[in-house]
Amino acid sequence: QVQLVESGGGLVPAGASLRLSCAVSGRTFRLYGMAWFRQAPGKEREFAAAISGIDRITHYADSVKGRFTISRDNAKNTVYLEMNSLKPEDTAVYYCAAAPPSSRWYWRRTDIHHYDYWGQGTQVTVSS
């Protein structure tokens, strides 16, 4: 089975940067689409960023485009989320998610139901 463990969250002032990491178990990590979702208190979980498997094509929510960068190191079974110019509205629990290979990846990559495996989440708090 696939297990995901996030790390790197914390409390930072507005304008600061953080890098989140997600360590993934399994021998077929390189084939999986990966994503970061986030959930603020009282709100539904929402898509932030995604990256495909071997070809590493990325996609971002409009709210984070230009500020966040998703990347992966397939040799280390790790996906990252570099967050720059953080805003108070970025405050949320950030979750790493994994999806098996799919021909519908580019259409479904923002859909929470596309992902079969989830980490426990890491808290990011941005003060004003």
Side-chain angles (χ1 to χ4, degrees):
Q1 62 183 36
V2 177
Q3 295 181 332
L4 295 75
V5 180
E6 302 99 330
S7 61
L11 173 63
V12 298
S17 298
L18 281 174
R19 189 177 77 157
L20 307 182
S21 298
C22 176
V24 185
S25 68
R27 300 180 63 183
T28 57
F29 167 79
R30 68 188 185 281
L31 304 178
Y32 277 67
M34 302 294 300
W36 290 93
F37 288 76
R38 63 186 187 179
Q39 187 167 21
K43 300 182 66 177
E44 295 185 0
R45 194 168 301 185
E46 67 175 10
F47 170 80
I51 184 168
S52 59
I54 296 176
D55 57 6
R56 297 176 174 83
I57 297 173
T58 60
H59 181 68
Y60 300 92
D62 289 342
S63 58
V64 308
K65 185 175 294 185
R67 298 187 299 119
F68 291 11
T69 301
I70 187 171
S71 62
R72 66 193 296 160
D73 187 336
N74 287 345
K76 296 182 177 180
N77 276 34
T78 303
V79 62
Y80 305 95
L81 186 67
E82 181 73 32
M83 304 183 295
N84 299 314
S85 301
L86 283 163
K87 306 173 181 179
E89 51 262 45
D90 295 319
T91 294
V93 177
Y94 283 71
Y95 296 91
C96 182
S102 171
S103 62
R104 308 300 296 173
W105 164 256
Y106 295 104
W107 183 249
R108 299 196 64 194
R109 55 191 172 182
T110 66
D111 183 359
I112 188 172
H113 299 107
H114 183 58
Y115 296 89
D116 294 334
Y117 307 102
W118 294 83
Q120 82 289 347
T122 185
Q123 176 71 50
V124 173
T125 302
V126 184
S127 61
S128 59

